[in-house]
Amino acid sequence: MAMAVAGFGRNCHLPNSMQTPVHAALHHSPTDGSDDGPPASSVFLAAVRAAVREGGCCASRAGFVGALLGAAMGPEAVPEEWSRQVQGWEGVEDETEALLRLRDEER
């Protein structure tokens, strides 16, 4: 991760604000499809924490990494101790389910 940040930069102006979070999400996401890997919440935590540790505008990078992995792995990837602290989390889950239903209707 440190090499990616060194190469792409720490600031938030485009294009650097996209490459590093994408790198973190891809580097930490389970790709083999097996059930033998770490739990989704552990992968999510590792990726977000890696983005934060690199400094610079880490809040936007961490949010982007979280959004990417949340979309890829589902809301269950967000650690429960984190989701409990989000005001209105139940509404987020309801909206996500509604969006997924709309997506499935389009297919």
mmCIF file of all heavy atoms in Angstrom, residues 2-5 15-16 20 28 32 41 53 57 63-64 72 92 101:
data_model
loop_
_atom_site.group_PDB
_atom_site.id
_atom_site.type_symbol
_atom_site.label_atom_id
_atom_site.label_comp_id
_atom_site.label_asym_id
_atom_site.label_seq_id
_atom_site.Cartn_x
_atom_site.Cartn_y
_atom_site.Cartn_z
ATOM 1 N N ALA A 2 1.921 1.251 0.796
ATOM 2 C CA ALA A 2 2.784 2.426 0.873
ATOM 3 C C ALA A 2 3.380 2.766 -0.495
ATOM 4 O O ALA A 2 3.495 3.939 -0.856
ATOM 5 C CB ALA A 2 3.882 2.216 1.899
ATOM 6 N N MET A 3 3.721 1.742 -1.264
ATOM 7 C CA MET A 3 4.278 1.992 -2.601
ATOM 8 C C MET A 3 3.223 2.600 -3.519
ATOM 9 O O MET A 3 3.534 3.472 -4.327
ATOM 10 C CB MET A 3 4.834 0.701 -3.189
ATOM 11 C CG MET A 3 6.092 0.223 -2.490
ATOM 12 S SD MET A 3 6.733 -1.322 -3.154
ATOM 13 C CE MET A 3 7.078 -0.868 -4.838
ATOM 14 N N ALA A 4 1.978 2.150 -3.391
ATOM 15 C CA ALA A 4 0.899 2.712 -4.219
ATOM 16 C C ALA A 4 0.698 4.183 -3.899
ATOM 17 O O ALA A 4 0.579 5.013 -4.803
ATOM 18 C CB ALA A 4 -0.398 1.941 -4.010
ATOM 19 N N VAL A 5 0.678 4.521 -2.600
ATOM 20 C CA VAL A 5 0.503 5.915 -2.202
ATOM 21 C C VAL A 5 1.691 6.745 -2.662
ATOM 22 O O VAL A 5 1.533 7.857 -3.149
ATOM 23 C CB VAL A 5 0.285 6.038 -0.682
ATOM 24 C CG1 VAL A 5 0.340 7.487 -0.233
ATOM 25 C CG2 VAL A 5 -1.043 5.422 -0.296
ATOM 26 N N PRO A 15 -6.217 12.826 -10.681
ATOM 27 C CA PRO A 15 -6.717 11.453 -10.622
ATOM 28 C C PRO A 15 -6.262 10.663 -9.391
ATOM 29 O O PRO A 15 -6.683 9.534 -9.204
ATOM 30 C CB PRO A 15 -6.129 10.823 -11.878
ATOM 31 C CG PRO A 15 -4.818 11.502 -12.049
ATOM 32 C CD PRO A 15 -5.051 12.933 -11.564
ATOM 33 N N ASN A 16 -5.424 11.219 -8.545
ATOM 34 C CA ASN A 16 -4.854 10.437 -7.437
ATOM 35 C C ASN A 16 -5.879 9.980 -6.412
ATOM 36 O O ASN A 16 -5.655 9.006 -5.705
ATOM 37 C CB ASN A 16 -3.768 11.240 -6.730
ATOM 38 C CG ASN A 16 -2.598 11.509 -7.629
ATOM 39 O OD1 ASN A 16 -2.441 10.864 -8.645
ATOM 40 N ND2 ASN A 16 -1.783 12.479 -7.271
ATOM 41 N N THR A 20 -5.497 5.131 -5.684
ATOM 42 C CA THR A 20 -5.073 4.512 -4.434
ATOM 43 C C THR A 20 -6.214 3.750 -3.760
ATOM 44 O O THR A 20 -6.015 2.607 -3.340
ATOM 45 C CB THR A 20 -4.449 5.558 -3.494
ATOM 46 O OG1 THR A 20 -3.346 6.169 -4.168
ATOM 47 C CG2 THR A 20 -3.965 4.928 -2.213
ATOM 48 N N HIS A 28 -7.040 -5.902 -1.119
ATOM 49 C CA HIS A 28 -7.598 -6.526 0.070
ATOM 50 C C HIS A 28 -8.834 -7.368 -0.200
ATOM 51 O O HIS A 28 -9.300 -8.070 0.685
ATOM 52 C CB HIS A 28 -7.934 -5.463 1.116
ATOM 53 C CG HIS A 28 -6.718 -4.879 1.740
ATOM 54 N ND1 HIS A 28 -6.078 -3.789 1.206
ATOM 55 C CD2 HIS A 28 -6.003 -5.236 2.822
ATOM 56 C CE1 HIS A 28 -5.030 -3.498 1.954
ATOM 57 N NE2 HIS A 28 -4.960 -4.362 2.939
ATOM 58 N N ASP A 32 -10.479 -15.299 -4.709
ATOM 59 C CA ASP A 32 -10.489 -16.694 -5.142
ATOM 60 C C ASP A 32 -11.856 -17.354 -5.045
ATOM 61 O O ASP A 32 -12.056 -18.449 -5.537
ATOM 62 C CB ASP A 32 -9.456 -17.519 -4.371
ATOM 63 C CG ASP A 32 -9.743 -17.588 -2.879
ATOM 64 O OD1 ASP A 32 -10.763 -17.027 -2.437
ATOM 65 O OD2 ASP A 32 -8.937 -18.213 -2.174
ATOM 66 N N SER A 41 -15.718 -8.927 7.003
ATOM 67 C CA SER A 41 -15.481 -7.764 7.858
ATOM 68 C C SER A 41 -13.991 -7.549 8.117
ATOM 69 O O SER A 41 -13.537 -6.411 8.222
ATOM 70 C CB SER A 41 -16.246 -7.885 9.175
ATOM 71 O OG SER A 41 -15.820 -9.019 9.894
ATOM 72 N N ARG A 53 -3.899 4.690 7.166
ATOM 73 C CA ARG A 53 -2.498 4.720 7.619
ATOM 74 C C ARG A 53 -1.578 5.501 6.692
ATOM 75 O O ARG A 53 -0.528 5.966 7.115
ATOM 76 C CB ARG A 53 -1.958 3.299 7.751
ATOM 77 C CG ARG A 53 -2.240 2.654 9.062
ATOM 78 C CD ARG A 53 -1.404 1.412 9.261
ATOM 79 N NE ARG A 53 -1.567 0.448 8.190
ATOM 80 C CZ ARG A 53 -2.459 -0.541 8.190
ATOM 81 N NH1 ARG A 53 -3.256 -0.700 9.205
ATOM 82 N NH2 ARG A 53 -2.549 -1.365 7.183
ATOM 83 N N CYS A 57 -5.015 12.920 2.552
ATOM 84 C CA CYS A 57 -6.472 13.028 2.651
ATOM 85 C C CYS A 57 -7.061 11.625 2.825
ATOM 86 O O CYS A 57 -7.710 11.086 1.933
ATOM 87 C CB CYS A 57 -7.043 13.719 1.431
ATOM 88 S SG CYS A 57 -8.791 14.077 1.627
ATOM 89 N N GLY A 63 -13.240 6.370 2.789
ATOM 90 C CA GLY A 63 -14.642 6.307 2.393
ATOM 91 C C GLY A 63 -14.836 5.646 1.051
ATOM 92 O O GLY A 63 -15.764 4.854 0.852
ATOM 93 N N PHE A 64 -13.954 5.944 0.117
ATOM 94 C CA PHE A 64 -14.027 5.354 -1.222
ATOM 95 C C PHE A 64 -13.746 3.850 -1.154
ATOM 96 O O PHE A 64 -14.455 3.051 -1.756
ATOM 97 C CB PHE A 64 -13.044 6.063 -2.142
ATOM 98 C CG PHE A 64 -13.226 5.809 -3.604
ATOM 99 C CD1 PHE A 64 -14.249 5.021 -4.105
ATOM 100 C CD2 PHE A 64 -12.344 6.369 -4.518
ATOM 101 C CE1 PHE A 64 -14.394 4.798 -5.471
ATOM 102 C CE2 PHE A 64 -12.482 6.153 -5.876
ATOM 103 C CZ PHE A 64 -13.507 5.364 -6.355
ATOM 104 N N ALA A 72 -19.037 -4.390 -3.365
ATOM 105 C CA ALA A 72 -18.581 -5.693 -3.855
ATOM 106 C C ALA A 72 -18.971 -6.840 -2.938
ATOM 107 O O ALA A 72 -19.341 -7.921 -3.405
ATOM 108 C CB ALA A 72 -17.057 -5.679 -4.044
ATOM 109 N N VAL A 92 -30.179 2.811 5.804
ATOM 110 C CA VAL A 92 -29.198 2.496 4.762
ATOM 111 C C VAL A 92 -29.448 1.081 4.246
ATOM 112 O O VAL A 92 -29.455 0.836 3.037
ATOM 113 C CB VAL A 92 -27.753 2.640 5.291
ATOM 114 C CG1 VAL A 92 -26.747 2.108 4.291
ATOM 115 C CG2 VAL A 92 -27.453 4.086 5.646
ATOM 116 N N ARG A 101 -33.422 -4.620 -5.374
ATOM 117 C CA ARG A 101 -34.661 -5.096 -6.014
ATOM 118 C C ARG A 101 -34.862 -4.431 -7.378
ATOM 119 O O ARG A 101 -35.225 -5.093 -8.351
ATOM 120 C CB ARG A 101 -35.866 -4.839 -5.108
ATOM 121 C CG ARG A 101 -35.999 -5.831 -3.975
ATOM 122 C CD ARG A 101 -37.352 -5.723 -3.287
ATOM 123 N NE ARG A 101 -37.616 -4.412 -2.704
ATOM 124 C CZ ARG A 101 -37.183 -4.017 -1.509
ATOM 125 N NH1 ARG A 101 -36.478 -4.837 -0.758
ATOM 126 N NH2 ARG A 101 -37.473 -2.818 -1.052
#
